[in-house]
């Protein structure tokens, strides 16, 4: 009965590969986010979707493409992975009328 | 450009004493502030928040203070317990959807 779930929890891959991280929330929220936490522990927003529409798109490389098939899912696809993409990626969701976000457990991506 | 800063990466406190975690921000347009707590291998969980129209919000052992003129907020935990040992993130909200997080402060409560 996890509120926000992410798969996989760990992802180890080679440079140049393409990979996806999936996120699902069962809270009925209408806004979902992707964050990247780098080696300096800085938690930085990447994307936000509201009702399947992109509302926040921070300056991230075009290799990162979010996809929201429905309100409960926001997946992150990364093309041509680079060493600098190694980080922990967190998915989060919230209700439009509220301010508190609910986070998933994170996906630790390691690019070799 | 980091708009929310937590300048103390770590803090150690004796059990039963007060823990004070600090956060500074640069953008005067932020209208809501939140504190999140994070355990290893888990995502951050919401702890307490405060609107920019208030200067204090209390919830049990946790109190957040906001000083708008100084662009500073702090989280007080009294009394501190070993289970409070975690990383605490300060976050600021702008336009209702855009969150800015600090780099976190790792709190260790010593039994």
């Amino acid at each position: 009965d996890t509120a926000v779930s992410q798969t996989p929890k760990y992802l180890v891959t080679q440079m140049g590969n393409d990979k996806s991280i999936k996120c699902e929330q069962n809270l009925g929220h209408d806004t979902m986010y992707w964050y990247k936490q780098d080696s300096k522990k800085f938690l930085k927003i990447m994307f936000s979707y509201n009702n399947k529409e992109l509302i926040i798109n921070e300056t991230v490389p075009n290799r990162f493409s979010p996809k929201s098939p429905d309100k409960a899912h926001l997946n992150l696809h990364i093309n041509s992975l680079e060493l600098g993409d190694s980080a922990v990626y967190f998915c989060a969701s919230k209700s439009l009328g509220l301010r508190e976000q609910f986070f998933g457990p994170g996906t630790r991506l390691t690019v070799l | 450009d980091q708009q929310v800063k937590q300048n103390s990466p770590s803090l150690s406190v004796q059990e039963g004493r007060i823990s004070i975690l600090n956060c500074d921000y640069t953008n005067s347009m932020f209208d809501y502030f939140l504190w999140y707590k994070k355990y290893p291998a888990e995502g951050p969980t919401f702890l307490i928040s405060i609107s920019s129209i208030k200067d204090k919000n209390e919830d049990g052992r946790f109190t957040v203070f906001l000083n708008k003129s100084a662009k500073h907020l702090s989280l007080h935990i009294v009394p501190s317990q070993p289970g409070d040992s975690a990383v605490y993130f300060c976050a600021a909200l702008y336009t209702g959807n855009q969150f800015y997080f600090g780099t976190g402060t790792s709190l260790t409560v010593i039994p």
Side-chain angles (χ1 to χ4, degrees):
Chain A
D1 56 294
T2 306
V4 182
S5 60
Q6 293 179 229
T7 52
K9 193 165 176 65
Y10 300 95
L11 184 54
V12 181
T13 188
Q14 298 285 333
M15 259 180 19
N17 284 349
D18 303 339
K19 290 294 177 185
S20 292
I21 307 172
K22 295 185 177 181
C23 177
E24 177 182 3
Q25 54 94 5
N26 61 7
L27 298 165
H29 290 165
D30 43 27
T31 306
M32 297 185 71
Y33 303 80
W34 275 110
Y35 286 87
K36 178 181 179 181
Q37 186 181 34
D38 58 24
S39 57
K40 294 181 181 176
K41 307 302 180 188
F42 184 38
L43 198 64
K44 185 175 166 108
I45 191 168
M46 300 174 69
F47 302 101
S48 175
Y49 270 73
N50 177 254
N51 283 324
K52 302 196 304 175
E53 283 193 35
L54 183 66
I55 56 172
I56 296 173
N57 185 355
E58 289 296 290
T59 308
V60 299
N62 290 337
R63 301 181 294 103
F64 290 79
S65 54
K67 285 186 173 49
S68 181
D70 55 57
K71 276 175 48 173
H73 296 84
L74 181 61
N75 304 322
L76 184 64
H77 189 76
I78 315 170
N79 289 328
S80 304
L81 278 155
E82 300 178 357
L83 294 176
D85 298 332
S86 295
V88 181
Y89 291 84
F90 288 99
C91 175
S93 73
K94 80 174 186 73
S95 179
L96 189 60
L98 300 176
R99 295 179 174 97
E100 300 83 37
Q101 292 176 305
F102 291 76
F103 282 83
T107 295
R108 181 173 291 277
L109 171 65
T110 303
V111 182
L112 304 174
Chain B
D1 177 28
Q2 220 174 314
Q3 300 190 46
V4 177
K5 296 181 182 179
Q6 293 175 257
N7 293 318
S8 298
S10 62
L11 175 68
S12 290
V13 171
Q14 289 286 339
E15 181 179 3
R17 306 293 289 268
I18 184 171
S19 295
I20 300 177
L21 296 93
N22 294 303
C23 178
D24 297 296
Y25 61 96
T26 57
N27 191 339
S28 57
M29 298 296 289
F30 289 140
D31 57 8
Y32 204 80
F33 303 89
L34 308 95
W35 284 94
Y36 285 82
K37 178 178 178 180
K38 184 184 179 304
Y39 291 117
E42 294 182 11
T45 55
F46 169 72
L47 187 60
I48 191 170
S49 61
I50 188 167
S51 165
S52 60
I53 63 173
K54 295 187 175 181
D55 55 19
K56 177 182 174 182
N57 187 27
E58 191 172 354
D59 183 2
R61 295 185 298 112
F62 302 91
T63 303
V64 56
F65 295 92
L66 175 62
N67 183 335
K68 284 185 65 178
S69 60
K71 294 193 179 71
H72 176 84
L73 64 155
S74 60
L75 174 67
H76 292 211
I77 307 173
V78 183
S80 301
Q81 299 174 353
D84 296 330
S85 297
V87 176
Y88 289 80
F89 287 95
C90 168
L93 184 55
Y94 173 59
T95 74
N97 271 314
Q98 184 108 9
F99 290 83
Y100 294 84
F101 281 80
T103 49
T105 296
S106 178
L107 173 66
T108 302
V109 180
I110 303 164

